[in-house]
Amino acid sequence: MTEIRKRVLLAKPRGYCAGVDRAVQTVEEALKLYGPPIYVRKQIVHNKHVVSTLEAKGAIFVEENEEVPEGAIVIFSAHGVAPEVYEQAKARSLKAIDATCPLVTKVHQEAKRFAADDYDILLIGHEGHEEVIGTAGEAPAHVQLVDGPEGADKVTVRDPSKVVWLSQTTLSVDETMETVARLKQRLPLLQSPPSDDICYATQNRQHVVKEIAPQCDVVLVVGSRNSSNSVRLVEVAIDAGARGGHLVDYAHEIADEWLEGATTVGVTSGASVPDELVMQVLEHLAARGFADVAEVTTADERLTFSLPQELKREMKAAAASRAKEAAALVSDQLG
């Protein structure tokens, strides 16, 4: 009797995107530069493991600026904040470091520009998501939230010839285009943003999942439940033909019954997930007979973002100060 070959299809790209990498580095470098505690408004990225790791190093996560002691350092998360949050920080004399992903900042700039031209802005996204709150806060009088295709039917605009759609960066590409198509049925002159709002990393991770899902009995997505892009990956996997899909933060959360009768398991991770968690999932699967791992690559990601300017300036000044002290010390020893 031939033994059934069990295998894993490992998606690439997966895990950290450039914006997440920059945000996590921002907290780590601030801790080195200023020493703990460093306050972070909201979760720096939506991942349980990343947050607990940074907490262990001295980061304190708060919901609002009011929880930060006056004059302290606060970092704004990768998801972006509304202008009023900066004003609140200023009023409390907080030293604010903005770790907003540059791709989210781009959407904020688009919202401001279209609002200045008196457009109605239809923001496609999930109600209550931090990114949506931040973008809408740039032009609250002009922005209406459209939460999925069904939300398209409730939209009202002042002038059907002056309306544009923008979107949250972490949505399902397919669902967003479905929402846009529904909106265009009612608003044929609806304009599109000048460039794609859904971020490259979200699209790339969804694309490779679509590639592997039809061959998979089950797709395991490593990510947290409050991570929009991770939740979308499970939905994309099932829509693309996987017979099952599950979201887990850690390998030990994988239920054995999910693997019963499976020969091919797909594995990927959301854009805020460190790869060590994926490696632990692969070890867990190997121990259950899924030792044959084939990596499926559909894109090569090379984009990086530099750290926030305000942090880079202070890091540079601190390095110059250390160099000066070292030179003075050598001079004293020689003298």
Side-chain angles (χ1 to χ4, degrees):
M1 189 173 161
T2 313
E3 190 181 340
I4 296 168
R5 178 172 160 251
K6 293 181 175 182
R7 63 175 182 156
V8 173
L9 296 181
L10 178 62
K12 185 180 178 183
R14 62 180 180 274
Y16 270 16
C17 62
V20 164
D21 197 30
R22 172 184 187 262
V24 175
Q25 269 193 57
T26 296
V27 180
E28 289 174 340
E29 292 297 339
L31 282 163
K32 284 183 210 164
L33 182 62
Y34 305 111
I38 295 290
Y39 292 85
V40 184
R41 185 184 177 276
K42 308 288 185 185
Q43 290 191 356
I44 187 68
V45 296
H46 286 157
N47 184 264
K48 191 189 283 189
H49 178 78
V50 170
V51 168
S52 61
T53 302
L54 291 172
E55 279 177 334
K57 292 179 179 178
I60 297 174
F61 292 88
V62 298
E63 283 301 302
E64 299 298 344
N65 286 335
E66 290 75 40
E67 298 168 62
V68 182
E70 287 204 17
I73 296 161
V74 64
I75 296 174
F76 296 147
S77 82
H79 308 103
V81 296
E84 64 181 339
V85 176
Y86 293 97
E87 295 306 317
Q88 292 163 359
K90 213 175 190 176
R92 292 182 64 76
S93 303
L94 302 180
K95 183 184 183 63
I97 299 171
D98 186 3
T100 300
C101 172
L103 299 178
V104 174
T105 300
K106 175 181 76 75
V107 181
H108 281 226
Q109 300 302 342
E110 288 169 354
K112 284 195 278 193
R113 192 158 51 79
F114 283 111
D117 291 338
D118 202 30
Y119 273 72
D120 280 333
I121 299 165
L122 306 180
L123 178 59
I124 300 171
H126 296 303
E127 189 168 1
H129 190 279
E130 284 155 43
E131 189 187 320
V132 165
I133 293 166
T135 303
E138 294 287 1
H142 290 262
V143 173
Q144 287 179 66
L145 179 64
V146 183
D147 197 340
E150 304 73 32
D153 302 332
K154 301 170 193 157
V155 165
T156 56
V157 298
R158 295 167 299 158
D159 179 353
S161 68
K162 285 195 79 172
V163 58
V164 64
W165 70 269
L166 303 177
S167 85
Q168 183 181 330
T169 63
T170 53
L171 299 179
S172 153
V173 179
D174 293 340
E175 187 181 327
T176 301
M177 296 330 294
E178 190 186 329
T179 304
V180 171
R182 190 103 152 235
L183 284 167
K184 282 188 172 172
Q185 286 172 4
R186 297 187 55 216
L187 300 162
L189 299 177
L190 177 70
Q191 292 188 36
S192 299
S195 59
D196 206 341
D197 282 353
I198 295 177
C199 99
Y200 77 95
T202 298
Q203 294 187 56
N204 287 347
R205 280 148 191 70
Q206 290 176 16
H207 180 65
V208 66
V209 164
K210 284 181 187 177
E211 283 286 309
I212 66 172
Q215 305 168 64
C216 294
D217 298 298
V218 62
V219 172
L220 300 175
V221 178
V222 186
S224 294
R225 301 209 167 276
N226 63 337
S227 165
S228 177
N229 76 88
S230 300
V231 172
R232 296 292 83 71
L233 285 172
V234 178
E235 295 169 359
V236 167
I238 292 169
D239 288 346
R243 287 182 277 290
H246 302 279
L247 183 66
V248 295
D249 267 297
Y250 298 103
H252 66 78
E253 296 171 7
I254 298 168
D256 284 340
E257 55 262 32
W258 298 347
L259 307 176
E260 276 174 20
T263 56
T264 302
V265 176
V267 174
T268 189
S269 57
S272 47
V273 178
D275 215 40
E276 64 189 275
L277 299 182
V278 176
M279 295 305 114
Q280 288 166 14
V281 165
L282 295 182
E283 286 169 21
H284 181 95
L285 291 172
R288 284 152 183 79
F290 294 87
D292 182 359
V293 179
E295 193 165 55
V296 178
T297 305
T298 56
D300 181 19
E301 292 182 351
R302 297 187 180 187
L303 183 66
T304 57
F305 294 132
S306 63
L307 292 169
Q309 286 301 325
E310 57 269 38
L311 181 60
K312 274 170 69 179
R313 270 195 308 270
E314 301 227 349
M315 286 169 67
K316 198 172 173 183
S321 175
R322 283 197 300 273
K324 195 173 174 184
E325 284 171 16
L329 187 62
V330 169
S331 175
D332 286 348
Q333 286 169 348
L334 292 175

